[in-house]
Amino acid sequence: QPVLRYDMVVPKDIPLRTFIPRLRELVMEDPLLYLDVRDERVSVSVMGEFQLEILRATIKSRFDVDVDFTEGSLIYKETIRDAVIGYGHFEPLRHYAEVHILMEPLPRGAGIEISSDLSVNELVINWQKTIISTITDDLPKGVLTGSELTDIRFTLISGKAHTAAPFPCVGKIFPLQF
């Protein structure tokens, strides 16, 4: 896993909307390269400065673009020490579901596992898939440093769904509470 993150400085005359798809091609070719694009900010996560120099040379030779990088920072990750049960409240399209999620620590380097111990009688499969997809796509951040979570198993252990929102807060998705 990459341990350093750098912001990429792209020349002002290069439109990001056409340059980012090119960068995504490079990411698909290199499993040790990660790209994060947020609000006109392009960040890359790499193993070290050597990989960064190779990336800079590859971008120059393939796309004839000279990029620069800001000073790098370490990528921190958080995990949990003990098992805990949290709950999630999901409200897409005027329907809602409540789910209890067992979070258990995994061995270092195991990554994230997500599963369900719910029967389809307790929570229909579509809801289970939606909730698992939401956790996968928008993994909560850690509470200590706001860093990415790792080495945790998330298991759906109970839940219910309803078709009409019971609260006046329709449209909001509430994060997991610990």
Side-chain angles (χ1 to χ4, degrees), residues 24-43:
R24 291 191 198 286
E25 290 174 22
L26 296 178
V27 170
M28 291 177 64
E29 295 171 12
D30 185 352
L32 296 178
L33 177 64
Y34 289 85
L35 179 70
D36 185 27
V37 180
R38 293 183 195 181
D39 302 324
E40 302 294 315
R41 186 175 133 210
V42 179
S43 299

Side-chain angles (χ1 to χ4, degrees), residues 85-171:
I85 296 176
Y87 71 90
H89 181 91
F90 301 86
E91 285 193 33
L93 303 173
R94 297 194 56 83
H95 294 48
Y96 77 96
E98 301 275 345
V99 66
H100 289 96
I101 303 170
L102 173 64
M103 295 171 281
E104 302 170 284
L106 291 174
R108 185 177 206 131
I112 298 293
E113 294 179 10
I114 304 173
S115 63
S116 177
D117 281 347
L118 294 175
S119 76
V120 293
N121 294 332
E122 197 171 358
L123 188 63
V124 296
I125 195 70
N126 289 346
W127 267 111
Q128 292 184 44
K129 287 180 179 180
T130 299
I131 291 166
I132 288 172
S133 174
T134 300
I135 294 170
T136 302
D137 296 342
D138 194 21
L139 190 64
K141 301 292 183 196
V143 295
L144 295 177
T145 63
S147 300
E148 180 182 335
L149 293 176
T150 190
D151 304 335
I152 300 175
R153 175 183 298 119
F154 293 87
T155 306
L156 307 182
I157 57 173
S158 70
K160 289 199 182 278
H162 303 277
T163 57
F167 307 113
C169 55
V170 172

Side-chain angles (χ1 to χ4, degrees), residues 47-66:
M47 293 298 291
E49 292 200 24
F50 183 69
Q51 186 184 11
L52 196 64
E53 290 306 315
I54 291 172
L55 176 62
R56 183 190 326 261
T58 303
I59 291 171
K60 176 64 177 168
S61 68
R62 272 209 178 150
F63 311 127
D64 196 29
V65 174
D66 289 309

